[in-house]
Amino acid sequence: SSVVHGGGIDVFNSSFPIISDCIITNNDSQFGGGLWTLSSPIITNCTISGNTASTGGGAIESYSSSSFPIITNCTITDNTAPDGGIRCSASSPTITNCILWNDSPQEITVFSGNNPTITYSDIQGGYTGAGNIDADPLFVDSENGDYHLTISSTCIDAGDPDLDGDGILWN
């Protein structure tokens, strides 16, 4: 790839940018196939899927000790990179009400810094945190990009009860 940072979105030194209601898909870069950040973005209600990176994270590369991304109500799936879906490089994201599933080779890599804080999320392979589950989200048709949940998904009513909405993890 000729793109070095953020095949879909590159967030560089911006004060709390808001990335909301987006579909970030099928992008390619060296670091952060879908999104690369050297800031503290607030990412909500997004689907980040099918992205690739030759180094770092396929979906998101979060870089810098001053970077504290907040990721809420997002589906992060089917991304590929050496460090899987999300790579934390000295940053410490807060992830709530999200589905991290089928990223290759794993969902999250902490390259340096502290572990992310993850709660009320469906993380393939499991992750310590209040309300987290490890169960196939049962997407309607992930092969064709339909990441809505089927009626029998265990993600339904598994979200943080204190957040707006009806307790369904983002789909």
Side-chain angles (χ1 to χ4, degrees):
S1 170
S2 60
V3 176
V4 176
H5 296 121
I9 299 174
D10 181 354
V11 182
F12 184 76
N13 287 341
S14 179
S15 297
F16 300 103
I18 295 173
I19 301 168
S20 182
D21 301 308
C22 295
I23 296 173
I24 304 168
T25 189
N26 297 325
N27 297 289
D28 182 32
S29 72
Q30 183 175 353
F31 296 94
L35 184 145
W36 182 86
T37 179
L38 183 64
S39 298
S40 297
I42 298 168
I43 305 167
T44 56
N45 303 340
C46 293
T47 299
I48 305 172
S49 66
N51 299 289
T52 358
S54 57
T55 306
I60 299 172
E61 174 92 20
S62 178
Y63 186 80
S64 171
S65 59
S66 61
S67 177
F68 300 97
I70 298 171
I71 305 168
T72 308
N73 296 345
C74 292
T75 296
I76 299 169
T77 187
D78 296 330
N79 300 285
T80 303
D83 288 326
I86 298 174
R87 174 174 150 157
C88 305
S89 298
S91 70
S92 183
T94 298
I95 301 170
T96 307
N97 275 26
C98 292
I99 298 171
L100 280 73
W101 201 263
N102 202 37
D103 295 303
S104 180
Q106 70 274 339
E107 302 309 313
I108 301 166
T109 295
V110 177
F111 183 73
S112 61
N114 297 321
N115 288 330
T117 301
I118 303 176
T119 56
Y120 295 97
S121 294
D122 184 10
I123 310 294
Q124 186 172 14
Y127 203 90
T128 302
N132 289 338
I133 60 174
D134 175 10
D136 186 335
L138 301 177
F139 296 126
V140 169
D141 186 4
S142 60
E143 288 184 21
N144 291 304
D146 187 348
Y147 296 106
H148 290 93
L149 302 175
T150 62
I151 196 162
S152 55
S153 174
T154 57
C155 293
I156 296 171
D157 294 328
D160 186 340
D162 293 332
L163 290 179
D164 289 339
D166 54 8
I168 298 174
L169 295 182
W170 180 250
N171 62 69

